[in-house]
């Protein structure tokens, strides 16, 4: 169970923790609970409270005994019995569910709106009836006095289906192109629908005429809000007879009194995401509004934030359990979220033990899991001489190291280094002495790494500080005092290699630039002393002289770069000659090769010729094979190329072919005498 606190409001997440697979046996589950702390500490409030892939909507029946949720994949609905804390039934559907509603107090009458325009009715035993609406639906509401279902969707019409007569009634014609959401006031039966134009139209079901129109898109735009597109209505909820909350696609929640066309309060989520659900909490006068990222709870009178909840995964739907502090969420993950907020209300009757559990946790705050453990790396274990404990219960592997008991760590460290306290005391004394020395005159201490670079930076800093023109020069950060570059002067891996080719080629340019910078500073100082206020030639020289000087400087460093390049080429030439000398002095020893069984050794020339042939390009190989006659390339009548070739046969195939030819000759030689005798016998000639 995970506990979070915001504005001193504790939120207990009852669905966090590891989930065990269904195919595990009870014996293995018990073994995992003994070994794994996370599995042992988790709370499985409702058994199998999850979906195969994603949960889209979640609702509680009116009697509070059943929790119904829809999800994918495959599309299905699951009903959980809270009295048994387990799954009641599961039914697979033909298509995904957009939304659903329970018409009875329990699960015996359910209406599903599918994303393929079908409306499906389920009874207690299962599927009951299916019908279709003309356009794709997005939301629907049930009017209890007249038994009418109002469907809104990708159409300007609101379709009415009467469940008592079993037929469609005349639709309500709105002024909108499409309608997103709808809701019916449970007190006086007013029907409201939210449109894509950002308006809310209110209808009286008794006379089937529009009685009000609210322009929420215009009211949602405030001085602080940034609107990039037209806000559409994405959520709608009534509370009592006169209060209505409207959520927009740009992340604003507008609170209305039905007697006024101006909103009482506009609350911005600051995320720019569509509001997905709105709920009222009457005991504390709170409104719970949720987008795909966060659930915010705020006071409906002042708009002050009460607390907020931000799950790990995106939110699809939120359901507040009636008359309690429990919150259920449908997320973009198999697990459905269960949160308990004791400030909102008590735990439901079927899980009243949560109150006692949370009270004990508040009275005895438990320390974190790692307070009694010390994290050590493999190098630390080698220093302590505890590498033989790897794999034992004393060490628990975690990331790039191990966790070990803090008491064992202190004991071993005291045995390995009994004078650790004395060293610690000396370090503290040394730090105090250095702090007192800091008040004295400091001497320049160069770092151990990149001393030349550090000296150069110090000199540049001193020149900049001595310059009287420093007021006009923009202050630059010092690399030596910047923590981001601290490692460059401490780690030997960052040492500048002055013998490398890159440094030798770039050093003339860098030195020239630094010299030009110093010369420029000197000129600026001279100009400041002279009091020259002319701004046409700020350098104090004519432009021709400056251009000639810059060209001379460029020629100078170009010559130096060429000189360094010539020196590098000479060094490479000397190294090659040295390698040749070493190769000539080395005595080659004969190498012996083993021939596999069944292979015939011919010479190394064949392998060398094959290697040369493989190194050639495809064009050269094709030309060579065309000369030998194994390949023929010709043009066809349609302008394409025709390629014919003969396969090369291996030595074994050639020997087999020669043996077959010899065998045929022997058989022919044996057949000739027999045929000759037969012919003589037919003619009647005597045998000699």
């Amino acid at each position: 169970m995970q506990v979070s606190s915001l504005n001193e409001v504790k939120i207990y997440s009852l669905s966090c923790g590891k989930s065990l697979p269904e195919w595990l046996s009870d014996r293995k589950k018990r073994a995992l609970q003994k070994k794994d702390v996370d599995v042992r500490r988790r709370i499985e409030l409702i058994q199998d409270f999850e979906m195969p892939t994603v949960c889209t909507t979640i609702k509680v029946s009116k009697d509070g005994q059943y929790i119904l949720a829809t999800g994918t994949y495959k599309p299905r609905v699951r009903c959980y019995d809270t009295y048994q804390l387990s799954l009641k039934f599961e039914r697979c559907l033909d298509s995904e569910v957009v939304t659903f509603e329970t018409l009875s107090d329990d699960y015996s009458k359910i209406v599903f709106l599918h994303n393929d325009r079908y409306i499906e009715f389920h009874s207690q035993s299962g599927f009951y009836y299916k019908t279709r609406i003309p356009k794709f639906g997005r939301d629907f509401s049930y009017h209890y006095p007249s038994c009418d279902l109002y469907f809104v969707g990708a159409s300007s019409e609101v379709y009415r289906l009467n469940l008592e007569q079993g037929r469609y009634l005349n639709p309500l014609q709105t002024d909108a192109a499409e309608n997103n959401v709808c809701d019916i006031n449970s007190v006086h039966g007013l029907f409201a629908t939210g449109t894509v134009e950002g308006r809310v139209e209110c209808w009286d079901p008794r006379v089937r005429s529009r009685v009000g129109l609210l322009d929420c898109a215009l009211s949602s735009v405030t001085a602080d809000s940034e609107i990039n597109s037209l806000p559409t209505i994405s959520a709608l909820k009534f509370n009592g007879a006169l209060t209505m909350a409207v959520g927009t696609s740009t992340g604003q929640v507008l609170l209305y009194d039905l007697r006024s066309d101006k909103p009482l309060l506009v609350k911005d989520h600051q995320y720019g995401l569509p509001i997905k659900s709105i709920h009222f909490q009457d005991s504390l006068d709170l409104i719970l509004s949720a987008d795909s990222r966060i659930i915010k709870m705020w006071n409906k009178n002042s708009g002050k934030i009460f607390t907020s909840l931000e799950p790990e995964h995106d939110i699809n739907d939120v359901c507040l359990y009636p008359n309690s502090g429990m919150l259920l969420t449908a997320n973009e993950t198999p697990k459905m979220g269960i949160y308990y907020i004791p400030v909102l209300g008590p735990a439901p009757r079927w899980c009243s033990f949560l109150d006692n559990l949370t009270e004990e946790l508040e009275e005895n705050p438990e320390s974190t899991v790692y307070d009694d453990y010390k994290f050590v790396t493999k190098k630390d274990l080698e220093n302590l001489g505890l590498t033989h404990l790897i794999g034992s219960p004393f060490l628990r592997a975690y990331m790039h190291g191990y966790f070990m008991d803090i008491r064992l760590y202190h004991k071993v460290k005291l045995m390995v280094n009994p004078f650790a306290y004395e060293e610690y005391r000396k370090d503290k004394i040394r730090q105090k002495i250095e702090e007192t020395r800091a008040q004295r005159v400091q001497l320049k201490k160069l770092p151990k790494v990149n001393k030349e670079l550090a000296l150069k930076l110090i000199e540049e800093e001193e020149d900049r500080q001595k310059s009287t023109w420093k007021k006009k020069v923009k202050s630059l950060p010092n690399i030596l005092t910047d923590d981001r570059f601290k490692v460059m002067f401490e780690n030997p891996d960052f040492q500048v290699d002055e013998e490398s080719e890159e440094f030798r080629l770039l050093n003339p340019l860098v030195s020239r630039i630094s010299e030009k910078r110093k010369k420029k500073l000197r000129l600026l100082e001279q100009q400041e002393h002279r009091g020259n206020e002319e701004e046409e030639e700020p350098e104090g020289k004519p432009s021709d002289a400056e251009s000639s000087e810059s060209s001379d400087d460029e020629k100078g460093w170009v010559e130096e770069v060429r000189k360094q390049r010539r020196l590098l080429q000479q060094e490479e030439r000397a190294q090659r000659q040295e390698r040749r000398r070493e190769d000539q002095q080395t005595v080659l020893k004969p190498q012996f090769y083993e021939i596999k069984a069944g292979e015939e050794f011919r010479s190394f020339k064949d392998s060398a010729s094959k290697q040369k042939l493989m190194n050639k390009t495809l064009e050269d190989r094709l030309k060579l094979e065309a000369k030998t006659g194994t390949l023929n390339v010709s043009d066809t009548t349609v302008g394409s190329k025709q390629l014919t070739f003969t396969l090369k046969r291996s030595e074994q195939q050639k020997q087999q072919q020669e043996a077959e030819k010899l065998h045929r000759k022997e058989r022919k030689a044996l057949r000739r005498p027999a045929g000759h005798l037969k012919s003589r016998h037919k003619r009647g000639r005597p045998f000699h």
Side-chain angles (χ1 to χ4, degrees):
M1 182 170 61
Q2 184 179 1
V3 184
S4 61
S5 179
L6 182 65
N7 291 343
E8 298 181 357
V9 178
K10 289 193 174 182
I11 302 173
Y12 296 88
S13 176
L14 307 177
S15 57
C16 69
K18 295 182 179 179
S19 59
L20 300 178
E22 299 178 357
W23 42 265
L24 275 183
S25 61
D26 295 338
R27 183 178 179 182
K28 289 186 177 180
K29 288 181 180 179
R30 287 194 297 269
L32 279 175
Q33 289 178 356
K34 291 179 181 178
K35 293 180 181 178
D36 200 334
V37 179
D38 295 336
V39 176
R40 188 166 61 250
R41 295 193 178 193
R42 73 191 179 103
I43 295 178
E44 192 176 9
L45 191 61
I46 300 175
Q47 189 178 3
D48 299 331
F49 196 66
E50 57 185 14
M51 282 288 169
T53 307
V54 172
C55 181
T56 54
T57 54
I58 185 168
K59 293 181 186 296
V60 180
S61 61
K62 294 179 178 61
D63 58 2
Q65 183 179 354
Y66 302 100
I67 300 174
L68 293 99
T70 60
T72 56
Y73 180 81
K74 300 179 179 179
R76 66 191 66 204
V77 57
R78 285 184 173 180
C79 179
Y80 297 91
D81 191 348
T82 57
Y83 291 175
Q84 303 297 328
L85 299 178
S86 61
L87 182 66
K88 178 74 173 178
F89 64 84
E90 178 184 13
R91 298 172 187 170
C92 289
L93 307 171
D94 296 335
S95 58
E96 294 184 12
V97 176
V98 178
T99 184
F100 70 95
E101 188 70 39
T102 55
L103 305 183
S104 59
D105 292 339
D106 54 4
Y107 66 92
S108 58
K109 295 178 183 179
I110 313 174
V111 183
F112 296 97
L113 175 62
H114 293 269
N115 61 354
D116 57 353
R117 297 193 288 135
Y118 273 105
I119 303 163
E120 198 169 310
F121 296 88
H122 281 231
S123 63
Q124 190 172 5
S125 59
F127 171 76
Y128 181 76
Y129 185 72
K130 180 189 286 189
T131 185
R132 210 171 189 184
I133 56 177
K135 299 288 184 180
F136 290 96
R138 296 175 183 174
D139 197 8
F140 73 93
S141 295
Y142 181 62
H143 189 247
Y144 282 90
S146 61
C147 297
D148 287 345
L149 281 172
Y150 289 80
F151 295 94
V152 298
S155 173
S156 61
E157 296 178 338
V158 179
Y159 304 108
R160 297 189 301 154
L161 176 61
N162 187 272
L163 301 184
E164 183 182 9
Q165 302 177 19
R167 66 186 182 92
Y168 282 100
L169 304 178
N170 293 330
L172 304 178
Q173 184 64 45
T174 63
D175 295 339
E178 295 177 357
N179 297 280
N180 291 332
V181 290
C182 64
D183 193 22
I184 294 178
N185 194 302
S186 58
V187 178
H188 46 67
L190 185 68
F191 172 75
T193 174
T195 67
V196 293
E197 288 85 2
R199 296 188 181 93
V200 174
E201 296 188 12
C202 298
W203 294 71
D204 189 352
R206 297 171 297 180
V207 295
R208 296 186 299 279
S209 62
R210 192 174 70 186
V211 294
L213 179 65
L214 294 174
D215 193 352
C216 301
L218 186 61
S219 301
S220 65
V221 179
T222 59
D224 299 332
S225 61
E226 295 181 1
I227 305 299
N228 298 324
S229 60
L230 179 66
T232 62
I233 308 301
S234 59
L236 189 64
K237 188 72 175 178
F238 280 107
N239 181 40
L242 300 174
T243 308
M244 179 181 66
V246 179
T248 64
S249 60
T250 53
Q252 288 87 20
V253 180
L254 294 85
L255 190 63
Y256 281 94
D257 189 320
L258 294 180
R259 295 168 293 184
S260 173
D261 59 347
K262 302 296 182 184
L264 301 174
L265 188 66
V266 178
K267 185 69 176 177
D268 195 348
H269 269 220
Q270 303 293 336
Y271 282 103
L273 300 173
I275 304 298
K276 294 206 169 185
S277 66
I278 300 174
H279 294 275
F280 287 88
Q281 214 279 341
D282 296 328
S283 61
L284 297 177
D285 290 336
L286 297 178
I287 294 179
L288 282 74
S289 56
D291 55 22
S292 60
R293 187 176 297 179
I294 193 171
I295 303 171
K296 287 193 175 184
M297 307 175 196
W298 44 282
N299 190 281
K300 67 179 183 180
N301 298 320
S302 62
K304 185 180 179 182
I305 191 72
F306 180 72
T307 187
S308 62
L309 175 62
E310 193 168 357
E312 296 180 3
H313 305 277
D314 290 347
I315 303 169
N316 289 328
D317 194 13
V318 177
C319 177
L320 182 63
Y321 197 92
N323 303 320
S324 74
M326 181 168 288
L327 200 66
L328 308 173
T329 61
N331 307 323
E332 286 286 331
T333 182
K335 270 194 172 185
M336 292 177 279
I338 304 177
Y339 299 93
Y340 177 51
I341 308 172
V343 180
L344 296 182
R349 185 176 58 181
W350 48 273
C351 58
S352 57
F353 58 87
L354 288 177
D355 289 328
N356 300 329
L357 184 63
T358 53
E359 287 176 3
E360 291 177 2
L361 289 175
E362 290 178 359
E363 291 175 0
N364 302 319
E366 188 178 354
S367 59
T368 56
V369 181
Y370 304 112
D371 282 349
D372 299 331
Y373 290 87
K374 173 71 175 177
F375 181 79
V376 291
T377 60
K378 195 171 183 180
K379 188 176 181 180
D380 296 336
L381 292 176
E382 291 175 356
N383 296 334
L384 297 174
L386 298 178
T387 53
H388 62 282
L389 293 181
I390 296 176
S392 65
F394 295 102
L395 295 177
R396 175 179 291 181
Y398 183 77
M399 294 179 68
H400 62 285
Y402 305 89
F403 275 111
M404 65 181 300
D405 196 291
I406 191 69
R407 295 169 295 178
L408 176 63
Y409 175 78
H410 286 317
K411 285 183 180 179
V412 175
K413 191 174 182 182
L414 187 61
M415 293 172 63
V416 172
N417 190 5
F419 303 102
Y421 176 73
E422 293 294 332
E423 293 178 358
Y424 170 76
R425 185 169 172 272
K426 289 179 181 179
D427 291 338
K428 282 292 181 182
I429 294 171
R430 192 180 300 110
Q431 290 177 7
K432 290 289 184 182
I433 294 172
E434 288 178 356
E435 288 178 1
T436 56
R437 284 177 179 173
Q439 301 174 0
R440 303 175 188 173
V441 178
Q442 295 291 328
L443 298 175
K444 294 179 183 178
K445 289 185 179 180
L446 295 176
K448 297 179 180 179
V449 183
N450 290 327
K451 292 183 179 180
E452 293 80 3
L453 178 61
L455 183 60
K456 179 183 175 183
L457 293 172
I458 292 171
E459 290 176 356
E460 290 181 355
E461 184 68 22
E462 288 178 353
D463 294 341
R464 194 181 299 112
Q465 289 178 359
K466 290 178 182 178
S467 175
T468 57
W469 196 73
K470 62 182 178 180
K471 296 180 181 178
K472 296 184 180 180
V473 178
K474 186 179 180 181
S475 60
L476 299 174
N478 192 358
I479 298 178
L480 291 171
T481 58
D482 198 337
D483 293 336
R484 296 175 295 175
F485 304 97
K486 186 179 180 181
V487 186
M488 190 171 68
F489 300 100
E490 295 178 354
N491 194 346
D493 295 337
F494 292 94
Q495 178 66 44
V496 177
D497 187 9
E498 297 183 358
E499 299 298 328
S500 63
E501 181 181 353
E502 293 82 2
F503 181 82
R504 293 174 64 178
L505 292 176
L506 289 174
N507 190 39
L509 177 61
V510 176
S511 61
R512 281 289 175 183
I513 292 172
S514 61
E515 289 177 4
K516 288 177 68 176
R517 191 187 301 113
K518 291 179 181 178
K519 189 181 293 185
K520 186 177 180 181
L521 286 172
R522 287 196 297 270
L523 291 173
L524 290 171
E525 288 178 5
Q526 294 174 5
Q527 181 182 357
E528 185 71 19
H529 286 301
R530 290 171 188 171
N532 186 7
E533 298 180 356
E534 296 180 1
E535 298 182 359
E536 296 178 359
E537 297 290 335
E539 297 293 335
K541 287 186 179 183
S543 58
D544 297 336
E546 183 184 357
S547 61
S548 62
E549 185 179 352
S550 62
S551 62
D552 293 339
D553 293 340
E554 290 179 0
K555 289 179 182 178
W557 73 259
V558 168
E559 290 295 333
E560 289 185 12
V561 171
R562 288 177 180 172
K563 182 180 177 181
Q564 291 292 335
R565 194 178 295 278
R566 284 195 296 269
L567 289 174
L568 289 171
Q569 291 175 357
Q570 291 176 4
E571 290 177 2
E572 289 180 0
R573 201 177 300 113
Q575 290 177 1
R576 284 199 298 268
Q577 291 177 0
E578 185 67 25
R579 283 198 296 269
R580 287 175 188 169
R581 245 184 258 108
E582 290 178 358
D583 294 341
Q584 290 174 1
Q585 291 176 2
T586 54
V587 180
L588 297 177
K589 296 180 181 180
Q591 295 182 357
F592 298 94
Y593 297 91
E594 184 180 356
I595 302 174
K596 294 182 180 179
E599 291 187 358
E600 181 182 357
F601 175 74
R602 288 169 297 186
S603 66
F604 289 104
K605 294 181 180 179
D606 294 339
S607 60
S609 61
K610 285 183 179 179
Q611 188 65 29
K612 289 181 181 179
L613 185 62
M614 292 302 294
N615 291 335
K616 290 184 178 180
T617 61
L618 178 63
E619 183 181 3
D620 296 338
R621 280 184 280 170
L622 291 175
K623 289 179 181 179
L624 184 61
E625 291 181 359
K627 288 181 181 179
T628 55
T630 57
L631 182 70
N632 184 23
V633 182
S634 60
D635 297 331
T636 60
T637 56
V638 294
S640 59
K641 295 283 187 181
Q642 183 176 359
L643 183 73
T644 58
F645 57 91
T646 56
L647 294 174
K648 292 183 179 180
R649 294 176 180 175
S650 61
E651 294 294 333
Q652 189 175 0
Q653 291 177 347
K654 290 180 181 179
Q655 291 177 4
Q656 187 177 0
Q657 190 175 6
E658 290 177 359
E660 289 178 357
K661 287 182 181 179
L662 184 61
H663 183 63
R664 290 195 199 97
K665 287 181 182 179
E666 291 177 354
R667 291 186 66 181
K668 286 180 182 179
L670 291 173
R671 286 173 184 165
R672 279 175 191 165
H676 180 67
L677 291 175
K678 283 183 181 180
S679 61
R680 290 177 63 90
H681 179 68
K682 286 179 181 178
R683 292 174 192 160
R685 295 178 183 177
F687 293 99
H688 296 286

